[in-house]
Amino acid sequence: MRPISRRSFLKATAATATAAAILPKALQMDFKVFAQEAQNNEVEKIPSLCNGCSSYCGVWAYVKNGRLWKIEGNKTHMKSQGHLCARAHGIAQNVYNPGRVTQPMKRVGDSNNFEPITWEQAFQEIGSKMKDIVEEHGGDKVVWACHGGKESYASQFLDIIGSPNYITHYATCFTAKTNIWSNMVGGMYNPDFDNAKMMLFVGRNYAGGIIPAAMKRITEAKEKGAKIVVVDPRFCELATIADEWLPIRPGTDLAFYLGIAHTLISEDLYDKDFVENYVYGFEEFWAHNKDFSAEKAAEICDIPAEKIREIARELAENAPQAFLDPGYHGLAAHYQNSNETAALNIIINSLLGNFWKEGGLFPAASTSFGKLESGYYGPVAQKGNRADGAGIAGEYPLVEPSRGIPQRIPDMIEKGRARVIFFYSYNPLRSAPEPEYQKKIKNADLVVSIPLDWNETTYHTAHYVLPECHYLERSEYPKVINGNIYWPAAQVAARFKALEASNSTMALLDIMKGLTTAYGIENLYPYTIEEEMEAALGPIGLTPEQLKEEGCIELRPSVLPKDEGLSFGTFTEKIEFSIGAWRKEGYLGVPTWVPPLVEPKEKNEFRLIHGKQPWHSHIMTTNNPYLMAITKEKNGTFMWMNSARAEELGIEDGDWVTVTSEITSKKVQVHVTEGLYPECVWLPSTYGTFSEKLEEGFEQGVNYNDFIPARIDKKTGHVMGQECIVTITKGGK
């Protein structure tokens, strides 16, 4: 029996009075029978990849009567191993979230009013306007800004029109880390939890920025005797299972690292063979840092010198089965010295000689997919300069062009460098600094948002809204699952369509086909997702049918421990303590002490820091009623403040305070705790929703981005997101 839709049901009930009198008894609907048959219908099990964060954990979607019943983790997937976090369950339920955009929309007038339009009208109007702008001003005035890490199909189009402006959100996340590791090592390396005897986590909270399998493996390593040390201004979730938690002064992790490196070298504890064979620039580094002792570090970071030396000695004692975790968002976009901090992370691990060693660090296993050829054989425009200056001499030559500088898009528009902006799965008005400044994005000639819901960027700046369907409503190009945590074999997984779109939304491939065809480019994507998937998997001997059956397939192990013959992807094929690109631009090649940009000084001044909560994904999930229920239960919108500082200011737990920075003033409630370094206050990175159409999260709490100006770090382009001093006064609700 086919399930009846709500619309059909309402039509049927409207005619009940006449239908009952006319229809024979045998044809009248028996709802008890209908309900029983619906209950007895089979449950389908379809594989997909969670969209809650960039881990893309493998999920099984269980579908009954055309509706989502539940999701479970895929046991094969290296990042979930059968487990899912609260965010994964919330993101899945967003398929039924009332905050979704349900059809193409067009802004009406200057206010935040929109009218529904057809897909055909949307494509034709956007294509025509974009064509006129490109013909008059050039293709390099088109910007594609996205979250990153997702197939966007945009590069093919940008290549044809001559635009180099593919920009990701990474400058607000981990761009310092990836930039520095690329320069010094040739790519990222990941920790081996299973065989480690000592793990040092600084600014890295796997239980908050969740990779479910990572926490499982960390706790199992602890049960086998591994020592865990967490260094963080806040008693974070990972600290709850640590052997030691060391509260550090925010912005001074670099000093702590320099103290550890100094101890390892001055006490002759480092791996000399590894340094001699696989390191370039050791002598230069030591020449510039030989006076930065543990005592000097202690004065700056407020961790005792003897404790710094103790940690260094324990790392050396357990090396190479010991590591300093490479980190992720925690220190990689936060401070004026984030670049140098990332460099010291590499240097400490190199001094331990733990690269390619059990319990140390390994590169990610990978594989290559096949691709279908474009069906377009027309003219291709020469690319102009990037609108953000990334990789451009005289502007930001050290910033990776593949990442870009998203926080200054309004400046690009004001200077006439950007006229057409596409936002795909990206919301800079809430995830980038200084939202009032970001609102100037609406001044571009054409702004198109491709979102799931009515996020702030869509609501306040978009001229057109082209809604993408929920991740469970589409199939997608396969992904190589790797990175962040060591796993010897690459895995392959993909999203397969589990649900029919319940409204007029589209998968991105179909959106791009419509846009480019309306622009005048025929056959740029002359394939279906099924054909693309088949071409991708063919060279590695897999079929879409196999992948759909298993959900996630592991390939042969390709990254295993080795003791010799190491080669790194740098000019010297060694780990380079001295960065050539820095020297070329007139900087010192090796990292040395750089202080934070700003410091709190007055009695009511604090450094504002932030981080994730285990049940939210930054700003993606605040309109989810289930996850917001957890927030309410845990007072999750509260700002943390050290108990001694709170007492000085007469502030008690639950009090309202006014928080003021150089650009704004906001009100929030306070959680008073001993689990926070006294000089700072901490905000979760989740709240402060200001799109009226997201009713669950609207005006719940505040966001750290409200308070920080949209700066640009010269070396890697990051936002320096914790270089913010706020004053706090009691009251103001």
Side-chain angles (χ1 to χ4, degrees):
M1 179 177 178
R2 293 176 62 86
I4 189 170
S5 70
R6 175 175 172 79
R7 180 175 296 178
S8 299
F9 171 71
L10 292 175
K11 288 180 179 178
T13 54
T16 298
T18 55
I22 297 171
L23 289 175
K25 185 175 182 180
L27 295 180
Q28 293 180 28
M29 178 173 283
D30 187 328
F31 281 93
K32 288 184 179 180
V33 173
F34 165 77
Q36 186 62 50
E37 289 185 1
Q39 183 175 338
N40 293 337
N41 278 351
E42 291 185 3
V43 175
E44 293 183 86
K45 181 181 176 184
I46 300 115
S48 191
L49 295 171
C50 178
N51 204 48
C53 74
S54 55
S55 291
Y56 299 111
C57 288
V59 303
W60 290 105
Y62 291 80
V63 177
K64 185 174 182 178
N65 300 316
R67 288 182 63 84
L68 179 65
W69 179 33
K70 66 174 182 178
I71 61 168
E72 288 182 346
N74 187 310
K75 293 181 180 179
T76 302
H77 195 287
M78 61 172 281
K79 295 186 181 180
S80 60
Q81 294 188 332
H83 300 278
L84 296 174
C85 67
R87 307 182 312 213
H89 293 282
I91 287 286
Q93 290 296 331
N94 273 353
V95 72
Y96 303 120
N97 195 302
R100 288 184 61 177
V101 186
T102 57
Q103 63 190 104
M105 306 293 285
K106 178 181 179 180
R107 185 178 294 274
V108 180
D110 294 330
S111 60
N112 293 328
N113 293 321
F114 294 83
E115 65 178 14
I117 58 176
T118 65
W119 279 104
E120 182 60 27
Q121 180 183 346
F123 290 148
Q124 290 303 320
E125 291 188 10
I126 294 169
S128 175
K129 291 180 180 181
M130 182 164 49
K131 184 78 170 178
D132 290 343
I133 293 168
V134 169
E135 287 181 350
E136 181 177 355
H137 300 285
D140 59 349
K141 303 303 186 294
V142 177
V143 172
W144 181 277
C146 60
H147 178 275
K150 301 179 181 181
E151 176 57 72
S152 70
Y153 300 100
S155 58
Q156 298 98 305
F157 175 62
L158 297 180
D159 287 345
I160 290 172
I161 65 173
S163 172
N165 299 316
Y166 185 95
I167 299 178
T168 71
H169 87 293
Y170 297 137
T172 61
C173 188
F174 56 69
T175 194
K177 180 192 74 168
T178 55
N179 185 301
I180 301 305
W181 276 80
S182 178
N183 273 289
M184 292 180 67
V185 186
M188 279 305 308
Y189 278 59
N190 309 296
D192 174 14
F193 304 122
D194 300 335
N195 299 295
K197 294 179 180 178
M198 182 173 179
M199 298 180 275
L200 176 59
F201 298 100
V202 182
R204 181 60 165 123
N205 178 16
Y206 280 98
I210 294 177
I211 299 176
M215 278 308 298
K216 177 177 180 288
R217 293 166 65 192
I218 290 169
T219 53
E220 288 174 350
K222 179 179 173 64
E223 290 170 359
K224 292 189 295 185
K227 182 171 183 178
I228 299 173
V229 178
V230 171
V231 179
D232 197 305
R234 172 177 169 260
F235 189 70
C236 64
E237 289 81 8
L238 182 58
T240 62
I241 68 164
D243 295 280
E244 287 188 86
W245 167 57
L246 303 177
I248 189 172
R249 175 177 285 124
T252 65
D253 307 79
L254 173 60
F256 175 69
Y257 286 177
L258 284 165
I260 289 178
H262 188 278
T263 302
L264 291 172
I265 297 171
S266 64
E267 296 188 7
D268 210 24
L269 301 174
Y270 69 99
D271 188 329
K272 298 182 187 63
D273 287 341
F274 184 88
V275 169
E276 182 178 348
N277 291 319
Y278 301 115
V279 167
Y280 166 82
F282 171 80
E283 293 80 7
E284 183 184 350
F285 168 76
W286 184 234
H288 285 281
N289 291 287
K290 61 184 178 182
D291 295 328
F292 207 100
S293 65
E295 282 75 16
K296 186 171 183 178
E299 292 175 2
I300 297 171
C301 71
D302 203 20
I303 294 176
E306 190 52 42
K307 176 57 67 174
I308 295 173
R309 284 192 289 266
E310 177 188 316
I311 291 173
R313 292 165 185 163
E314 288 181 332
L315 285 168
E317 180 182 344
N318 289 287
Q321 290 175 278
F323 61 76
L324 166 59
D325 189 273
Y328 197 71
H329 177 256
L331 300 174
H334 287 350
Y335 299 104
Q336 179 173 247
N337 58 28
S338 284
N339 306 311
E340 289 74 15
T341 303
L344 256 297
N345 186 300
I346 295 167
I347 288 170
I348 288 172
N349 282 303
S350 301
L351 295 174
L352 298 175
N354 64 17
F355 286 79
W356 288 93
K357 301 295 195 303
E358 282 192 350
L361 303 181
F362 292 87
S366 192
T367 190
S368 297
F369 289 146
K371 274 189 175 291
L372 289 166
E373 289 186 8
S374 170
Y376 174 77
Y377 301 102
V380 176
Q382 183 177 349
K383 288 187 178 182
N385 287 331
R386 285 186 62 92
D388 56 8
I392 304 297
E395 295 192 51
Y396 299 97
L398 297 174
V399 176
E400 297 165 284
S402 61
R403 313 286 198 191
I405 307 173
Q407 65 268 33
R408 298 300 296 187
I409 289 177
D411 186 58
M412 304 173 209
I413 295 168
E414 185 175 335
K415 292 178 178 178
R417 291 184 166 191
R419 293 179 176 274
V420 178
I421 319 291
F422 285 91
F423 292 106
Y424 171 58
S425 189
Y426 181 40
N427 179 20
L429 260 69
R430 187 60 293 171
S431 62
E434 201 171 349
E436 290 303 314
Y437 168 73
Q438 301 299 334
K439 285 182 181 179
K440 294 181 180 180
I441 289 169
K442 67 183 179 183
N443 296 330
D445 295 346
L446 177 62
V447 181
V448 180
S449 180
I450 306 174
L452 175 77
D453 61 17
W454 283 100
N455 64 50
E456 285 78 7
T457 302
T458 300
Y459 185 61
H460 287 280
T461 73
H463 302 136
Y464 292 89
V465 186
L466 306 180
E468 185 181 34
C469 52
H470 188 272
Y471 83 86
L472 290 171
E473 297 172 336
R474 63 183 190 258
S475 296
E476 284 188 353
Y477 191 80
K479 289 187 179 296
V480 179
I481 306 300
N482 61 10
N484 302 122
I485 55 179
Y486 168 59
W487 198 258
Q491 296 182 337
V492 177
R495 288 177 176 144
F496 288 88
K497 186 175 182 178
L499 300 167
E500 293 296 328
S502 56
N503 44 51
S504 184
T505 60
M506 275 192 187
L508 182 64
L509 177 57
D510 295 322
I511 293 174
M512 294 305 294
K513 287 181 179 181
L515 285 172
T516 54
T517 299
Y519 180 86
I521 300 175
E522 296 289 344
N523 253 5
L524 185 57
Y525 314 100
Y527 44 78
T528 65
I529 186 61
E530 290 78 16
E531 291 169 336
E532 190 182 25
M533 188 178 293
E534 186 174 0
L537 298 174
I540 56 175
L542 298 177
T543 66
E545 291 74 24
Q546 287 175 287
L547 196 56
K548 189 171 184 179
E549 178 68 23
E550 299 186 41
C552 181
I553 295 177
E554 186 165 308
L555 307 180
R556 286 184 179 181
S558 58
V559 178
L560 297 170
K562 54 184 178 180
D563 294 322
E564 56 185 30
L566 307 185
S567 179
F568 300 91
T570 61
F571 178 76
T572 62
E573 297 186 349
K574 296 183 177 184
I575 297 174
E576 299 187 355
F577 283 14
S578 182
I579 301 175
W582 285 14
R583 298 194 304 271
K584 182 181 178 182
E585 293 301 320
Y587 297 106
L588 187 67
V590 296
T592 57
W593 170 244
V594 175
L597 181 67
V598 295
E599 295 280 1
K601 297 177 181 179
E602 304 299 329
K603 179 180 178 181
N604 65 340
E605 285 187 348
F606 298 79
R607 181 182 296 278
L608 178 64
I609 66 173
H610 63 271
K612 277 188 178 178
Q613 291 175 326
W615 64 93
H616 275 300
S617 293
H618 291 311
I619 46 82
M620 287 174 58
T621 53
T622 47
N623 201 54
N624 187 284
Y626 306 103
L627 301 181
M628 288 301 289
I630 300 175
T631 291
K632 184 176 181 180
E633 177 186 333
K634 296 183 177 295
N635 292 329
T637 60
F638 285 26
M639 179 183 73
W640 287 30
M641 178 182 285
N642 176 271
S643 53
R645 296 293 302 277
E647 184 176 359
E648 289 178 3
L649 298 177
I651 295 170
E652 297 182 357
D653 196 69
D655 279 352
W656 285 87
V657 297
T658 300
V659 184
T660 303
S661 74
E662 62 180 281
I663 65 171
T664 195
S665 184
K666 300 279 183 178
K667 299 171 180 59
V668 68
Q669 285 180 277
V670 170
H671 168 55
V672 175
T673 176
E674 293 183 3
L676 190 68
Y677 190 82
E679 291 181 9
C680 63
V681 288
W682 179 88
L683 276 175
S685 58
T686 303
Y687 307 104
T689 298
F690 59 93
S691 169
E692 296 176 5
K693 290 183 177 288
L694 301 179
E695 296 181 1
E696 289 288 339
F698 184 61
E699 295 186 337
Q700 296 293 310
V702 298
N703 191 284
Y704 72 96
N705 279 310
D706 293 331
F707 299 95
I708 57 177
R711 300 188 182 100
I712 305 174
D713 170 79
K714 279 284 187 181
K715 289 180 178 175
T716 59
H718 67 76
V719 296
M720 293 181 274
Q722 292 186 170
E723 294 285 20
C724 179
I725 306 303
V726 295
T727 59
I728 295 177
T729 54
K730 184 177 179 179
K733 179 179 178 182

